[in-house]
Amino acid sequence: MNEVTVSSPATVANVVCGFDILGFALAEPCDSFTVRKTGRRGVTIINKDNYNLPTEPEKNVSGVALLALLNEVKEEIGFEIESNKIIKPGSGIGSSAASAAGVVVAANHLLGNRFSQEQLVEFAMCGEEVASGAKHADNIAPCIYGGITLIRSLNPLDIVSIPAPELFVTVIHPQIEVKTSDARQILKRNVSLKNAITQWANVAGLIAGLMKSDYELIGRSLEDVIVEPVRSILIPGFDELKTRSKEAGALGGGISGSGPSVFMLSRELKTAQQVEVAMKEVYAKIGVEFHTHVSVISKQGVQVKTKKG
Ligand code: HSE
């Protein structure tokens, strides 16, 4: 086989209280990447989308991820990536993770699936580091594994898939760019013991709520006293989005990844659609362009769509 096309999903990292340790995959939007095996060592990138991302592999998230994978390959081969991205870079729904994870899963397929999912996460994280200036797997892991994942430890890598009931997700993506590296820079370096206790109680509550299908507990646990108070100032109308979404029936939610997207979880599709209406009303008043998505937490990560050769 010489060519594989994959669909790589958007992801929501942090899930409010789990900064850098929790994330989930969305059913949509998804990026598409075609990866071809070549006879030359190295990576070539062809952009078929309009995002003008760098084509030098060392400066490109997908390129760096594939170079990390190639480092572990003895054969004299390389890869060509054809990028058809939908997920806008800087959106907060895992655009860079979709790029890094999508191409390593595709390349692994071309190599007879010789690498484990954990190894693929390691390669993809090298790409993610280019975008955010730090290694974190809370978008990469759900993008590869699907569902909700907990990254208990990065070194050594310890990824835990969390069982959960069906949940609907409403995302609003204000058309402003927040660079993850900037959104990380502004965070305080220390947290008080009081806030740490609240935060780890919420993380434990959220995991227990998901595993017990206790929707009330999930809702109560979607609280972030550490990161959200700092980052939410970058998102126009954040407080109103939250208030109006909860009034419309959302269980709760907050900033998706490092923003500017905001997500809300709902128990029913109908509620998620009502939340979308409420979010649109808030943003119509603010006058900032936006997109919305209603999706489910997807059990699937990167999917191979077509194979050739
Ligand atoms: N955990 C990361 C952050 C996710 O919040 O900076 C970035 O998408």
Side-chain angles (χ1 to χ4, degrees):
M1 201 192 314
N2 288 317
E3 180 185 306
V4 160
T5 300
V6 293
S7 164
S8 191
T11 46
V12 170
N14 300 336
V15 199
V16 184
C17 50
F19 178 69
D20 273 4
I21 63 160
L22 286 176
F24 60 74
L26 292 169
E28 55 183 275
C30 292
D31 283 344
S32 170
F33 300 97
T34 299
V35 177
R36 297 184 190 97
K37 204 152 74 177
T38 68
R40 283 164 280 113
R41 203 85 195 153
V43 175
T44 322
I45 298 162
I46 304 166
N47 286 329
K48 286 282 173 84
D49 47 52
N50 295 322
Y51 294 128
N52 283 322
L53 292 169
T55 49
E56 302 97 303
E58 295 79 10
K59 293 186 185 160
N60 178 294
V61 168
S62 304
V64 171
L66 272 194
L67 288 172
L69 178 144
L70 267 179
N71 234 355
E72 301 298 318
V73 172
K74 292 203 177 65
E75 301 98 295
E76 274 300 302
I77 56 156
F79 296 106
E80 181 182 270
I81 306 170
E82 201 179 288
S83 169
N84 283 291
K85 283 187 71 61
I86 302 281
I87 311 164
K88 196 172 176 185
S91 56
I93 48 172
S95 178
S96 52
S99 297
V103 298
V104 296
V105 170
N108 194 35
H109 213 82
L110 292 172
L111 297 172
N113 289 322
R114 65 177 73 166
F115 296 112
S116 68
Q117 282 190 313
E118 275 190 10
Q119 285 175 297
L120 296 180
V121 170
E122 295 274 13
F123 301 142
M125 267 201 298
C126 299
E128 185 75 300
E129 201 177 4
V130 175
S132 67
K135 271 197 178 172
H136 57 92
D138 49 343
N139 292 103
I140 299 279
C143 195
I144 291 179
Y145 285 62
I148 305 179
T149 54
L150 161 70
I151 295 89
R152 197 207 56 83
S153 154
L154 274 184
N155 193 14
L157 199 55
D158 188 359
I159 298 168
V160 186
S161 287
I162 306 296
E166 184 170 57
L167 283 165
F168 295 87
V169 192
T170 314
V171 176
I172 181 162
H173 173 199
Q175 300 295 291
I176 49 176
E177 188 183 352
V178 172
K179 284 199 163 57
T180 300
S181 47
D182 295 340
R184 294 181 78 86
Q185 281 289 324
I186 60 170
L187 296 177
K188 294 184 185 136
R189 300 291 121 188
N190 298 298
V191 296
S192 67
L193 183 60
K194 183 170 169 273
N195 279 347
I197 292 167
T198 306
Q199 198 83 357
W200 61 55
N202 280 324
V203 173
L206 179 58
I207 300 294
L210 291 167
M211 295 184 74
K212 292 168 68 176
S213 299
D214 182 337
Y215 295 95
E216 298 292 320
L217 179 57
I218 292 170
R220 290 201 300 283
S221 306
L222 288 170
E223 178 199 32
D224 171 9
V225 294
I226 295 174
V227 175
E228 184 182 286
V230 182
R231 282 184 172 172
S232 57
I233 47 173
L234 302 174
I235 304 170
F238 179 77
D239 290 337
E240 203 184 345
L241 275 178
K242 244 173 104 168
T243 311
R244 289 288 312 280
S245 299
K246 285 193 189 169
E247 282 167 7
L251 297 169
I255 305 170
S256 174
S258 55
S261 289
V262 173
F263 81 99
M264 288 287 151
L265 293 181
S266 297
R267 196 174 167 162
E268 312 279 346
L269 173 62
K270 202 165 140 253
T271 317
Q273 288 164 339
Q274 283 161 355
V275 171
E276 184 184 29
V277 172
M279 286 177 158
K280 282 181 173 172
E281 282 171 8
V282 173
Y283 256 68
K285 269 195 307 187
I286 291 176
V288 171
E289 293 284 311
F290 63 92
H291 293 154
T292 55
H293 307 275
V294 175
S295 181
V296 281
I297 296 185
S298 170
K299 291 197 168 33
Q300 302 201 309
V302 180
Q303 294 292 301
V304 174
K305 291 289 169 197
T306 56
K307 309 169 192 181
K308 265 193 215 164

